[in-house]
């Protein structure tokens, strides 16, 4: 098989919130791509040698001189270029057309019709007499196309909604083909990637797995590898992948920090254990460590969220290091780092991402333990990780599990974490999740959980007065977890969950539903 990376697109980021979405959609067409900032290094660009380039949208205006522009080196590559929104505007401005600033934004659905025969616009289903639905989000617009270009589509408010120079293979669309509101937007991206750029489309789950297995084998040889298995999607998929790649050379360490959800330890042991179907298929060695006491000792008296996160993160490192050192001759540490993590840390080095909360992972461990890193998911988006998890035979319930933060219930118990609070929270959370699954709502929300509020409120159950703590329910809908809105769960459903929690858990007097959006709130409460 040829290398599945030898054909690839470059996604140039001008700062749009949709840049990662463009990359995900291109990958869905079966074409590998990577995201880099617009000021990409020319030498790196030559080495990267993409088959085509897509320019993202962005928040700036090309009508000002100081705003980002496309590097000439990219145009010099001579490969097809597709500019989306700001990307189209900067192409227009740089190649000799004109862009007009507009105070009024056009935001939302629009109908495009074709002005000229065009493979891209045709793929949307738009012709000169029938229109196609697209999604717009822009202020400025192109008012004159550069020499050599023709206008290929228009909307009622944007006479130049798309343009192209098919001789030079340079294209621009004012709308956003990457968002699902643009009907057939994926068809447009597929035409660009497969037909115009000529890519093969062999970036598939099966090929990704085969490629990852070959790479891991080559990287670690006969060495022993250790993996921190958390029960989350990423580490589970790494475990399944490595089990295929290197089998007995892998040992998974599962740390019970006392901050897990109800039955979580059991579920992980069942999902991967010897007695499960998967356990038989994957010869996984799992070492479970009960470190509950150690974590609670370190958390005693801590109230500040960042202090709690640090304590949990550091204790995890201590425990994990101790356990890994007790294994014979481990040389490699496997991690479930995924592509958005890589982009995020590149962005923070670049200076355009700020840390709102310190997210906990095993940062620092490889250096401390002098271990090499094995990161087989480093190139993958979450949906790709899920896809290969399914192909590797992991259960759907695990693969489509809502995310769970590294510090676990530690950041869902406000203030000091106490074992009795965790016990109550675990039960309340389990009721919420059970009812969501029961009502077929679990997959409709991106993340749902209960939060423990150690404030006292009065309730009455039967004839007795109850003076106990409060549980908050949180459910959000989001695409990227950077922004989110609270899920509009049916009122009857929320009421049902609240009743069950109050009736079944004597230590809870009241249940509330969190309707905050992110921003300004965050998804977790700490
Ligand atoms: P926030 O609360 O920042 O959460 O809006 C965004 C997403 O990140 C998850 N999260 C974490 N994940 N370690 C993690 O691995 C953490 O410390 C952490 N904090 C938040 C959160 O559950 C949500 O999915």
């Amino acid at each position: 098989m040829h290398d599945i990376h030898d054909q690839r697109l470059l996604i140039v980021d001008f700062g749009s919130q949709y840049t990662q979405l463009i990359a995900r959609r291109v990958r869905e067409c079966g074409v590998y791509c990577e995201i880099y900032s617009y000021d990409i290094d020319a030498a790196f660009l030559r080495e990267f040698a993409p088959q085509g380039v897509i320019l993202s949208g962005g928040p700036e205006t090309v009508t000002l001189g100081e705003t980002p522009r496309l590097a000439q080196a990219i145009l010099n590559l001579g490969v097809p270029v597709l500019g989306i929104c700001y990307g189209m505007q900067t192409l227009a401005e740089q190649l000799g057309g004109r862009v007009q600033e507009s105070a009024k934004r056009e935001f939302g659905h629009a109908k495009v019709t074709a002005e000229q025969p065009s493979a891209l616009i045709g793929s949307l289903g738009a012709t000169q007499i029938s229109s196609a639905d697209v999604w717009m989000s822009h202020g400025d617009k192109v008012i004159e196309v550069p020499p050599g270009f023709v206008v290929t589509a228009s909307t009622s408010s944007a006479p130049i909604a798309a343009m192209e120079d098919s001789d030079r293979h340079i294209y621009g669309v004012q709308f956003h083909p990457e968002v699902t509101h643009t009907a057939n937007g994926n068809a447009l991206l597929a035409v660009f990637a497969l037909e115009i750029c000529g890519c093969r489309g062999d970036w598939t789950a099966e090929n990704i797995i085969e490629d990852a297995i070959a790479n891991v084998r080559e990287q670690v040889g006969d060495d022993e590898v250790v993996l921190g298995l958390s029960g989350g999607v990423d580490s589970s998929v790494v475990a399944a992948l490595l089990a295929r790649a290197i089998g007995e050379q892998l040992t998974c360490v599962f740390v019970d920090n006392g901050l897990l959800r109800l039955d979580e330890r059991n579920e992980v042991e069942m999902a991967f254990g010897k007695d499960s179907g998967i356990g038989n298929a994957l010869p996984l060695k799992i070492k479970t460590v009960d470190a509950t006491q150690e974590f609670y000792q370190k958390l005693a008296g801590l109230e500040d969220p960042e202090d709690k996160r640090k304590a949990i993160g550091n204790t995890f490192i201590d425990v994990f290091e101790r356990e890994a050192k007790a294994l014979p001759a481990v040389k490699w540490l496997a991690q479930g780092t995924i592509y958005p993590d890589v982009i995020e840390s590149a962005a923070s080095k670049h200076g355009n991402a700020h840390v709102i909360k310190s997210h906990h992972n095993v940062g620092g461990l490889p250096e401390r333990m002098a271990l090499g890193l094995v990161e087989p998911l480093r190139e993958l988006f979450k949906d790709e990780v899920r896809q290969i998890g399914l192909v590797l035979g992991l259960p759907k319930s695990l693969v489509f599990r809502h995310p769970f933060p590294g510090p676990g219930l530690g950041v869902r118990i406000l203030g000091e974490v106490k074992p009795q609070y965790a016990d109550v929270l675990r039960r309340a959370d389990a009721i919420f999740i059970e009812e969501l699954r029961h009502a077929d709502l679990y997959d409709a929300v991106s993340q749902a959980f209960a939060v423990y509020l150690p404030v006292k409120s009065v309730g009455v159950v039967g004839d007795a007065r109850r003076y106990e703590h409060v549980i908050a329910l949180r459910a959000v809908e989001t695409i990227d977890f950077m922004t989110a809105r609270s899920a509009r769960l049916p009122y009857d459903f929320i009421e049902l969950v609240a009743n069950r929690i109050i009736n079944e858990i004597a230590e809870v007097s009241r249940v509330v539903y969190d309707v905050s959006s992110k921003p300004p709130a965050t998804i977790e409460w700490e």
Side-chain angles (χ1 to χ4, degrees), residues 292-310:
T292 306
Q293 294 303 331
E294 196 168 336
F295 277 88
Y296 278 99
Q297 273 159 16
K298 294 279 168 52
L299 282 167
L302 296 186
E303 293 193 349
D304 179 77
E306 284 299 302
D307 292 347
K308 286 162 59 179
R309 272 167 199 273
K310 281 197 196 100

Side-chain angles (χ1 to χ4, degrees), residues 181-404:
H181 308 285
T182 294
N184 302 326
N186 50 354
L188 185 149
L189 292 172
V191 165
F192 181 73
L194 301 172
E195 291 176 23
I196 296 176
C197 299
C199 294
R200 278 186 304 266
D202 53 9
W203 184 257
T204 61
E206 286 76 8
N207 289 345
I208 296 169
I209 292 172
E210 203 178 309
D211 177 73
I213 289 175
N215 288 340
V216 169
R217 284 186 182 149
E218 192 183 321
Q219 186 183 7
V220 308
D222 295 327
D223 297 342
E224 291 284 321
V225 180
V226 65
L227 164 71
L229 182 63
S230 71
V233 182
D234 302 339
S235 68
S236 299
V237 173
V238 173
L241 196 57
L242 294 193
R244 276 234 188 142
I246 54 168
E248 291 278 305
Q249 288 160 252
L250 172 71
T251 305
C252 301
V253 174
F254 178 76
V255 177
D256 184 348
N257 57 8
L259 303 165
L260 303 173
R261 286 164 290 190
L262 196 69
D263 260 348
E264 194 153 9
R265 179 167 159 180
N266 245 339
E267 279 169 23
V268 170
E269 284 173 347
M270 298 268 290
F272 288 101
K274 279 201 266 336
D275 300 333
S276 74
I278 296 170
N280 291 333
L282 311 170
L284 268 196
K285 286 187 280 185
I286 304 185
K287 186 171 178 187
T288 305
V289 190
D290 187 346
T292 306
Q293 294 303 331
E294 196 168 336
F295 277 88
Y296 278 99
Q297 273 159 16
K298 294 279 168 52
L299 282 167
L302 296 186
E303 293 193 349
D304 179 77
E306 284 299 302
D307 292 347
K308 286 162 59 179
R309 272 167 199 273
K310 281 197 196 100
I312 297 169
N314 291 338
T315 311
F316 179 83
I317 290 179
D318 290 345
V319 174
F320 190 85
E321 183 178 22
R322 203 164 58 218
E323 295 302 326
K325 280 197 171 145
L327 300 171
V330 170
K331 293 245 175 61
W332 301 90
L333 173 71
Q335 283 192 166
T337 314
I338 66 173
Y339 192 43
D341 305 332
V342 176
I343 299 171
E344 201 173 295
S345 65
S348 57
K349 274 189 214 119
H350 204 260
N352 55 7
H354 47 244
V355 179
I356 295 173
K357 294 176 187 177
S358 62
H359 279 201
H360 154 77
N361 54 30
V362 272
L365 249 184
E367 297 82 2
R368 241 170 89 164
M369 296 177 61
L371 293 176
L373 268 185
V374 179
E375 298 180 306
L377 311 180
R378 227 184 127 76
E379 292 177 339
L380 306 183
F381 285 108
K382 195 83 175 191
D383 29 13
E384 295 170 316
V385 171
R386 292 205 166 98
Q387 211 45 50
I388 73 170
L390 289 178
V391 174
L392 288 167
L394 292 174
K396 250 186 156 164
S397 57
L398 196 160
V399 167
F400 289 97
R401 204 161 194 200
H402 293 167
F404 186 61

